[in-house]
Amino acid sequence: SAVGRGPEVPFSSEAYRISATSRGKELRLTLAPLGPGPAQDLVFRFGMSGSFRLCPAAQPPRHAHLRFLTGESPPRALCFVDARRFGSWRLGDAWQPGRGPCVLSEYQAFRENVLKNLEDKAFDKPICEALLNQKFFNGIGNYLRAEILYRLKIPPFEKARTVLEALKDQEQARRKKNPSLTLSKKLKLMRENPDLLELCHTVPMEVIAAEKKLLDPDHSDNYAAFKDWLQCYLVPGMSSLRDRSGRTIWFQGEPGPMAPKGQTSRKKRAQLTADPKALTPKVTTRASKRQPRAAAKPPKPATEEEEEASDRPRKARSRGRRKVTAAPASPEPEAPVKAQRSRRTSGRRGRGEAGSP
């Protein structure tokens, strides 16, 4: 499209097949002609809102920045849709340099890459920030890091090296104790007592292997199932802080020793009250406490857009919101006051009573 930021794709064919393979947060498409001619590879990054949709060519969705047309009648279009335009594509088959092994398809290489490089300065940072470093955690994003740390009850601002060196020691002790473990026994141990690196593999697999395509943007019921799957990210009652790169991390409990200074934990105002007879927990808000007679409305489900809004700096609260009751006219003129009056007007003066000299 005219507003697309990606390069022109120099490919044309009467009939071609599209195949795809993924690695971490990247997807490679291969356009292979069914007749003579060279193939064309494209590597995509999706940003926050990028996705592919198949739709009638005459009715493309908004923000369809790249379209692959079918030869049928009427034609359809496979569209790369990206409302925020954070996504991108580039020509060629090379993955972006500097990205580590994929947490899904290259788990063993991913694990070894992390544990053998713990001296890297990336692990001087809090674990929540290290998990977004694609050099070591290729495929982990904002919601996944929150879910992984929550399941293990790891404070998000604990030092990354402290967390991961413990895994290295545990792995060495396990090998000495059971040097002849078979693959099936290793997998069993992983399922029963997963560590952080194992959850970096199994948690995203839960989303991919779900019966419903949880992240399908065209089906709202699937997205509702995805929100039900979430245990921490955007969940009412959880705390949140912005890390040093400005991303919001959701967690429960203490943030950890490396939490940003001068920033208070922002907690969802909705407090969940357990009710064993109810299918869903009761919600008690501060507003309902102040106004017990009013019917308490359930809070609207948080969206990613709301989370983005919460990442932005809040405007300072306007001052002087209190309403001051004007004093009745005095029968005698008052002496001019040289000192600046306080914003707060006492009740005595509000009722027209004489104040102390």
Side-chain angles (χ1 to χ4, degrees), residues 56-70:
Q59 299 174 336
R62 292 185 63 190
H63 310 292
H65 299 309
L66 193 61
R67 306 164 193 173
F68 304 95
L69 302 178
T70 67

Side-chain angles (χ1 to χ4, degrees), residues 260-308:
K261 304 297 182 184
Q263 189 182 155
T264 57
S265 173
R266 294 174 292 157
K267 205 165 190 177
K268 283 284 184 180
R269 290 191 176 183
Q271 298 176 354
L272 300 182
T273 304
D275 184 359
K277 296 181 181 180
L279 293 177
T280 57
K282 292 182 180 179
V283 178
T284 304
T285 62
R286 292 182 183 177
S288 64
K289 289 182 178 179
R290 289 195 301 269
Q291 301 174 357
R293 295 181 181 179
K297 296 181 180 179
K300 294 181 180 179
T303 63
E304 197 163 351
E305 284 75 18
E306 289 173 355
E307 192 230 347
E308 284 299 299

Side-chain angles (χ1 to χ4, degrees), residues 36 39 64 71 77 159 162 183 186 202 209 221 236 270 279 282 296 306 336 344 357:
K159 191 173 184 178
T162 302
L183 180 60
K186 289 181 181 178
T202 58
D221 57 334
L279 293 177
K282 292 182 180 179
E306 289 173 355
R344 297 184 178 180

